[in-house]
Every structure is written in C-alpha cells, then in structure tokens.
Amino acid sequence: MYGMWENCVSCGACHAWVIRPQRVTCTGYDQHGKRKQQVLGGMLARCLMHELDHLSGKTILQQTVGPEFVVSGVAMAQRDLWPANFPSAEAYMTGSHQFFDYVTNYNYRATRV
C-alpha cells in the first residue's frame, strides 16, 4: 500500500492523505472485442483508482484516513510550520509528489505518467 497527498479540482484547493494499492490489475476489451488484461503500478495505478472513485461518486475527501488528513493548499506549502508527526509520521515526512510505501516504510519520488 502507498500513501500519498492527493489533490483534485473536484475538491477545491485541498489536499488529502490517501492510501491506495501499489498495483492494480485491469481487465477489459480492445476495439476488436479481444479480452485484454494489464497490471498497472505506481502513479498510473493511483490515477486510475482516483478516476474510478469519481465514477463511483467518491472524492479524495471520502477516501482519506480521517478529517485531520485533509489540509488546504496553503497549509501544504507551509509544512515546515506543522507540529512534528502531524497528522501522522508517514504523512508528515512525505512531501508533495512522493509516495510513502507502507511495506518498506520508505518514501519514493513519484514519476510522471
């Protein structure tokens, strides 16, 4: 599982700490009706799950761990003013565009999709 600060235009200028799987398996059909299956990982998996949440009527505000894990864009820019380990140790130490890997307890820089 990866934790990451996500933001979304559907939620205004807020950021939410959201935990998602590291990989997802997608199954579908191509334009010729042939069944396809693909494993997605990293940011591609996160983006797909984020958009699938929208299709289910959910936003990052429903997917976050709790209300203390939702902060404004201004607060994200002033993280140096946060109390130590706020709102949690892993969320505190993970900057924008980084993943926190709950398996290895390590931060990774997200790569562009």
Side-chain angles (χ1 to χ4, degrees):
M1 300 295 277
Y2 283 141
M4 185 179 186
W5 288 104
E6 289 187 18
N7 60 348
C8 179
V9 294
S10 299
C11 298
C14 71
H15 295 253
W17 182 255
V18 179
I19 299 170
R20 298 192 188 273
Q22 296 170 349
R23 284 179 294 284
V24 294
T25 302
C26 302
T27 305
Y29 297 90
D30 67 11
Q31 67 272 25
H32 305 292
K34 184 178 177 187
R35 190 167 191 252
K36 296 277 189 174
Q37 185 170 338
Q38 185 173 358
V39 177
L40 305 176
M43 275 305 281
L44 197 54
R46 179 169 286 274
C47 290
L48 176 70
M49 296 190 68
H50 178 104
E51 297 307 325
L52 287 174
D53 285 345
H54 284 300
L55 293 175
S56 299
K58 297 177 185 174
T59 67
I60 57 174
L61 301 178
Q62 286 85 33
Q63 297 299 96
T64 192
V65 179
E68 67 275 16
F69 290 87
V70 178
V71 298
S72 70
V74 172
M76 276 302 283
Q78 298 175 339
R79 292 182 62 230
D80 56 318
L81 302 176
W82 291 6
N85 295 329
F86 172 82
S88 67
E90 60 276 8
Y92 178 78
M93 66 189 278
T94 305
S96 295
H97 310 294
Q98 289 184 332
F99 290 112
F100 181 83
D101 187 341
Y102 282 90
V103 175
T104 64
N105 292 328
Y106 187 76
N107 281 324
Y108 296 95
R109 173 112 5 247
T111 55
R112 290 190 172 259
V113 177

